[in-house]
Amino acid sequence: MTSAHTIVFDLDGTLVDTAPDLITALNYVLDREGLPPVPMASARNMIGAGARKLIERGLEAEGRAVTPADMDRMTADFIAYYADHIAVESRPFEGLEAALDHFSEQGHRLAVCTNKLEWLSKRLLDQLDLSRRFAAICGADTFGVQKPDPTIFRETVARAGGAVKASIMVGDAGTDVGVARRAGVPVIGVSFGYTDVPIAELKPDRLIHHMRDLPAAASSLMSP
């Protein structure tokens, strides 16, 4: 029997397929600027570094640059729209809840460590009835740092009541692999998320293609 671990999840592209609602919000902002929408397929890999970066990438796709003041306004518009439409089409990835059940039954702690704002993360997870499953839900504004800064990971684990030496990161992108490496913990990559660099190229300790494979992958990384 392995000791209790803390399984720390990224949110967008790892726990939940949030792309439809995020890209809808992005295109709402672009439309207000008189710009054409970004196609869903190409926009998925723009996600993962927060709202401001998503808008910047959307503008770059159209060869546009804006002033810092305009970017502040557009980011505020994005967040306001997104908050009101946060779970229209967003859904947990298939097999997620069964994996979470398995970890809980084994006595492991669960936490969320995301570069999404904390209040938006909690609103999304509340609407999907997932918040109750996590001992901590921490975002880019919770501790004043973002992934891959290891502080956000360490503080998330502490808030969940766990120990860093007995924790595992699960994510879909370079920031997740980076935060795990900096925190000195193993990382499981998921291949179905959002990343401009294929997760396999970032060499996570384990790579899964479906949430059904997560319990076995995590178990293989746990020490007794």
Side-chain angles (χ1 to χ4, degrees), residues 3-23:
S3 60
H5 277 59
T6 305
I7 315 299
V8 182
F9 293 86
D10 173 52
L11 179 48
D12 298 293
T14 300
L15 287 174
V16 182
D17 185 6
T18 53
D21 293 325
L22 284 166
I23 302 309

PDB file of all heavy atoms in Angstrom, residues 3-23:
ATOM      1  N   SER A   3       1.753   5.310   0.439  1.00  0.00           N
ATOM      2  CA  SER A   3       1.321   6.362   1.357  1.00  0.00           C
ATOM      3  C   SER A   3       0.440   7.352   0.624  1.00  0.00           C
ATOM      4  O   SER A   3       0.428   7.406  -0.608  1.00  0.00           O
ATOM      5  CB  SER A   3       2.550   7.078   1.932  1.00  0.00           C
ATOM      6  OG  SER A   3       3.307   7.663   0.884  1.00  0.00           O
ATOM      7  N   ALA A   4      -0.311   8.139   1.395  1.00  0.00           N
ATOM      8  CA  ALA A   4      -1.197   9.136   0.791  1.00  0.00           C
ATOM      9  C   ALA A   4      -0.376  10.181   0.041  1.00  0.00           C
ATOM     10  O   ALA A   4       0.617  10.690   0.544  1.00  0.00           O
ATOM     11  CB  ALA A   4      -2.035   9.797   1.873  1.00  0.00           C
ATOM     12  N   HIS A   5      -0.787  10.472  -1.165  1.00  0.00           N
ATOM     13  CA  HIS A   5      -0.140  11.481  -1.994  1.00  0.00           C
ATOM     14  C   HIS A   5      -1.118  12.613  -2.303  1.00  0.00           C
ATOM     15  O   HIS A   5      -2.326  12.470  -2.114  1.00  0.00           O
ATOM     16  CB  HIS A   5       0.343  10.858  -3.312  1.00  0.00           C
ATOM     17  CG  HIS A   5       1.664  10.177  -3.217  1.00  0.00           C
ATOM     18  ND1 HIS A   5       1.896   9.121  -2.358  1.00  0.00           N
ATOM     19  CD2 HIS A   5       2.844  10.391  -3.871  1.00  0.00           C
ATOM     20  CE1 HIS A   5       3.155   8.724  -2.493  1.00  0.00           C
ATOM     21  NE2 HIS A   5       3.749   9.470  -3.406  1.00  0.00           N
ATOM     22  N   THR A   6      -0.567  13.712  -2.779  1.00  0.00           N
ATOM     23  CA  THR A   6      -1.384  14.813  -3.277  1.00  0.00           C
ATOM     24  C   THR A   6      -1.260  14.832  -4.791  1.00  0.00           C
ATOM     25  O   THR A   6      -0.157  14.981  -5.317  1.00  0.00           O
ATOM     26  CB  THR A   6      -0.927  16.158  -2.692  1.00  0.00           C
ATOM     27  OG1 THR A   6      -0.932  16.092  -1.260  1.00  0.00           O
ATOM     28  CG2 THR A   6      -1.868  17.278  -3.137  1.00  0.00           C
ATOM     29  N   ILE A   7      -2.378  14.649  -5.473  1.00  0.00           N
ATOM     30  CA  ILE A   7      -2.401  14.684  -6.929  1.00  0.00           C
ATOM     31  C   ILE A   7      -2.854  16.081  -7.331  1.00  0.00           C
ATOM     32  O   ILE A   7      -3.976  16.495  -7.016  1.00  0.00           O
ATOM     33  CB  ILE A   7      -3.365  13.632  -7.524  1.00  0.00           C
ATOM     34  CG1 ILE A   7      -3.189  12.277  -6.818  1.00  0.00           C
ATOM     35  CG2 ILE A   7      -3.145  13.506  -9.026  1.00  0.00           C
ATOM     36  CD1 ILE A   7      -1.818  11.675  -6.940  1.00  0.00           C
ATOM     37  N   VAL A   8      -1.972  16.820  -7.998  1.00  0.00           N
ATOM     38  CA  VAL A   8      -2.222  18.226  -8.327  1.00  0.00           C
ATOM     39  C   VAL A   8      -2.490  18.343  -9.828  1.00  0.00           C
ATOM     40  O   VAL A   8      -1.674  17.916 -10.642  1.00  0.00           O
ATOM     41  CB  VAL A   8      -1.013  19.103  -7.937  1.00  0.00           C
ATOM     42  CG1 VAL A   8      -1.307  20.564  -8.235  1.00  0.00           C
ATOM     43  CG2 VAL A   8      -0.671  18.905  -6.458  1.00  0.00           C
ATOM     44  N   PHE A   9      -3.630  18.915 -10.157  1.00  0.00           N
ATOM     45  CA  PHE A   9      -4.065  18.995 -11.549  1.00  0.00           C
ATOM     46  C   PHE A   9      -4.019  20.422 -12.084  1.00  0.00           C
ATOM     47  O   PHE A   9      -4.444  21.367 -11.403  1.00  0.00           O
ATOM     48  CB  PHE A   9      -5.520  18.523 -11.686  1.00  0.00           C
ATOM     49  CG  PHE A   9      -5.745  17.070 -11.413  1.00  0.00           C
ATOM     50  CD1 PHE A   9      -5.962  16.619 -10.117  1.00  0.00           C
ATOM     51  CD2 PHE A   9      -5.759  16.146 -12.446  1.00  0.00           C
ATOM     52  CE1 PHE A   9      -6.193  15.277  -9.857  1.00  0.00           C
ATOM     53  CE2 PHE A   9      -5.989  14.802 -12.202  1.00  0.00           C
ATOM     54  CZ  PHE A   9      -6.201  14.363 -10.901  1.00  0.00           C
ATOM     55  N   ASP A  10      -3.569  20.543 -13.318  1.00  0.00           N
ATOM     56  CA  ASP A  10      -3.869  21.729 -14.109  1.00  0.00           C
ATOM     57  C   ASP A  10      -5.370  21.688 -14.408  1.00  0.00           C
ATOM     58  O   ASP A  10      -6.013  20.642 -14.263  1.00  0.00           O
ATOM     59  CB  ASP A  10      -3.046  21.691 -15.397  1.00  0.00           C
ATOM     60  CG  ASP A  10      -3.403  22.802 -16.361  1.00  0.00           C
ATOM     61  OD1 ASP A  10      -3.409  23.971 -15.944  1.00  0.00           O
ATOM     62  OD2 ASP A  10      -3.717  22.481 -17.519  1.00  0.00           O
ATOM     63  N   LEU A  11      -5.941  22.809 -14.854  1.00  0.00           N
ATOM     64  CA  LEU A  11      -7.386  22.857 -15.099  1.00  0.00           C
ATOM     65  C   LEU A  11      -7.730  22.810 -16.588  1.00  0.00           C
ATOM     66  O   LEU A  11      -8.225  21.807 -17.097  1.00  0.00           O
ATOM     67  CB  LEU A  11      -7.975  24.107 -14.440  1.00  0.00           C
ATOM     68  CG  LEU A  11      -9.473  24.366 -14.605  1.00  0.00           C
ATOM     69  CD1 LEU A  11     -10.308  23.135 -14.324  1.00  0.00           C
ATOM     70  CD2 LEU A  11      -9.904  25.528 -13.710  1.00  0.00           C
ATOM     71  N   ASP A  12      -7.437  23.896 -17.311  1.00  0.00           N
ATOM     72  CA  ASP A  12      -7.797  23.970 -18.732  1.00  0.00           C
ATOM     73  C   ASP A  12      -6.998  22.961 -19.547  1.00  0.00           C
ATOM     74  O   ASP A  12      -5.771  22.989 -19.544  1.00  0.00           O
ATOM     75  CB  ASP A  12      -7.538  25.376 -19.276  1.00  0.00           C
ATOM     76  CG  ASP A  12      -8.387  26.432 -18.587  1.00  0.00           C
ATOM     77  OD1 ASP A  12      -9.606  26.397 -18.758  1.00  0.00           O
ATOM     78  OD2 ASP A  12      -7.817  27.282 -17.871  1.00  0.00           O
ATOM     79  N   GLY A  13      -7.697  22.054 -20.224  1.00  0.00           N
ATOM     80  CA  GLY A  13      -7.019  21.081 -21.058  1.00  0.00           C
ATOM     81  C   GLY A  13      -6.526  19.862 -20.321  1.00  0.00           C
ATOM     82  O   GLY A  13      -5.956  18.965 -20.937  1.00  0.00           O
ATOM     83  N   THR A  14      -6.744  19.819 -19.003  1.00  0.00           N
ATOM     84  CA  THR A  14      -6.344  18.660 -18.210  1.00  0.00           C
ATOM     85  C   THR A  14      -7.552  18.068 -17.499  1.00  0.00           C
ATOM     86  O   THR A  14      -7.917  16.922 -17.719  1.00  0.00           O
ATOM     87  CB  THR A  14      -5.253  19.040 -17.189  1.00  0.00           C
ATOM     88  OG1 THR A  14      -4.108  19.538 -17.884  1.00  0.00           O
ATOM     89  CG2 THR A  14      -4.843  17.825 -16.358  1.00  0.00           C
ATOM     90  N   LEU A  15      -8.182  18.853 -16.637  1.00  0.00           N
ATOM     91  CA  LEU A  15      -9.410  18.407 -15.982  1.00  0.00           C
ATOM     92  C   LEU A  15     -10.626  18.593 -16.887  1.00  0.00           C
ATOM     93  O   LEU A  15     -11.483  17.726 -16.984  1.00  0.00           O
ATOM     94  CB  LEU A  15      -9.650  19.198 -14.694  1.00  0.00           C
ATOM     95  CG  LEU A  15      -8.769  18.894 -13.488  1.00  0.00           C
ATOM     96  CD1 LEU A  15      -9.066  19.892 -12.375  1.00  0.00           C
ATOM     97  CD2 LEU A  15      -8.993  17.472 -12.985  1.00  0.00           C
ATOM     98  N   VAL A  16     -10.681  19.757 -17.510  1.00  0.00           N
ATOM     99  CA  VAL A  16     -11.881  20.159 -18.246  1.00  0.00           C
ATOM    100  C   VAL A  16     -11.515  20.635 -19.647  1.00  0.00           C
ATOM    101  O   VAL A  16     -10.529  21.360 -19.823  1.00  0.00           O
ATOM    102  CB  VAL A  16     -12.623  21.288 -17.492  1.00  0.00           C
ATOM    103  CG1 VAL A  16     -13.895  21.687 -18.228  1.00  0.00           C
ATOM    104  CG2 VAL A  16     -12.950  20.861 -16.052  1.00  0.00           C
ATOM    105  N   ASP A  17     -12.332  20.234 -20.616  1.00  0.00           N
ATOM    106  CA  ASP A  17     -12.198  20.739 -21.985  1.00  0.00           C
ATOM    107  C   ASP A  17     -12.913  22.085 -22.041  1.00  0.00           C
ATOM    108  O   ASP A  17     -14.115  22.155 -22.318  1.00  0.00           O
ATOM    109  CB  ASP A  17     -12.804  19.749 -22.972  1.00  0.00           C
ATOM    110  CG  ASP A  17     -12.587  20.160 -24.421  1.00  0.00           C
ATOM    111  OD1 ASP A  17     -11.867  21.150 -24.656  1.00  0.00           O
ATOM    112  OD2 ASP A  17     -13.140  19.494 -25.311  1.00  0.00           O
ATOM    113  N   THR A  18     -12.163  23.137 -21.764  1.00  0.00           N
ATOM    114  CA  THR A  18     -12.727  24.491 -21.670  1.00  0.00           C
ATOM    115  C   THR A  18     -12.603  25.278 -22.966  1.00  0.00           C
ATOM    116  O   THR A  18     -13.093  26.405 -23.054  1.00  0.00           O
ATOM    117  CB  THR A  18     -12.007  25.285 -20.558  1.00  0.00           C
ATOM    118  OG1 THR A  18     -10.591  25.223 -20.799  1.00  0.00           O
ATOM    119  CG2 THR A  18     -12.310  24.713 -19.183  1.00  0.00           C
ATOM    120  N   ALA A  19     -11.965  24.696 -23.974  1.00  0.00           N
ATOM    121  CA  ALA A  19     -11.689  25.438 -25.204  1.00  0.00           C
ATOM    122  C   ALA A  19     -12.924  26.075 -25.835  1.00  0.00           C
ATOM    123  O   ALA A  19     -12.869  27.245 -26.243  1.00  0.00           O
ATOM    124  CB  ALA A  19     -10.973  24.547 -26.219  1.00  0.00           C
ATOM    125  N   PRO A  20     -14.052  25.362 -25.938  1.00  0.00           N
ATOM    126  CA  PRO A  20     -15.195  25.988 -26.614  1.00  0.00           C
ATOM    127  C   PRO A  20     -15.619  27.321 -25.999  1.00  0.00           C
ATOM    128  O   PRO A  20     -15.859  28.297 -26.719  1.00  0.00           O
ATOM    129  CB  PRO A  20     -16.289  24.921 -26.479  1.00  0.00           C
ATOM    130  CG  PRO A  20     -15.555  23.632 -26.379  1.00  0.00           C
ATOM    131  CD  PRO A  20     -14.331  23.955 -25.571  1.00  0.00           C
ATOM    132  N   ASP A  21     -15.684  27.372 -24.672  1.00  0.00           N
ATOM    133  CA  ASP A  21     -16.131  28.612 -24.022  1.00  0.00           C
ATOM    134  C   ASP A  21     -15.042  29.680 -24.013  1.00  0.00           C
ATOM    135  O   ASP A  21     -15.343  30.878 -24.130  1.00  0.00           O
ATOM    136  CB  ASP A  21     -16.606  28.316 -22.600  1.00  0.00           C
ATOM    137  CG  ASP A  21     -17.866  27.460 -22.585  1.00  0.00           C
ATOM    138  OD1 ASP A  21     -18.704  27.625 -23.490  1.00  0.00           O
ATOM    139  OD2 ASP A  21     -17.999  26.616 -21.680  1.00  0.00           O
ATOM    140  N   LEU A  22     -13.793  29.286 -23.890  1.00  0.00           N
ATOM    141  CA  LEU A  22     -12.702  30.261 -23.938  1.00  0.00           C
ATOM    142  C   LEU A  22     -12.588  30.902 -25.315  1.00  0.00           C
ATOM    143  O   LEU A  22     -12.419  32.123 -25.435  1.00  0.00           O
ATOM    144  CB  LEU A  22     -11.376  29.593 -23.564  1.00  0.00           C
ATOM    145  CG  LEU A  22     -11.167  29.298 -22.080  1.00  0.00           C
ATOM    146  CD1 LEU A  22      -9.989  28.338 -21.892  1.00  0.00           C
ATOM    147  CD2 LEU A  22     -10.920  30.599 -21.298  1.00  0.00           C
ATOM    148  N   ILE A  23     -12.691  30.105 -26.359  1.00  0.00           N
ATOM    149  CA  ILE A  23     -12.558  30.646 -27.716  1.00  0.00           C
ATOM    150  C   ILE A  23     -13.779  31.479 -28.088  1.00  0.00           C
ATOM    151  O   ILE A  23     -13.666  32.483 -28.799  1.00  0.00           O
ATOM    152  CB  ILE A  23     -12.309  29.522 -28.734  1.00  0.00           C
ATOM    153  CG1 ILE A  23     -11.047  28.731 -28.352  1.00  0.00           C
ATOM    154  CG2 ILE A  23     -12.166  30.093 -30.131  1.00  0.00           C
ATOM    155  CD1 ILE A  23      -9.819  29.571 -28.081  1.00  0.00           C
TER     156      ILE A  23
END
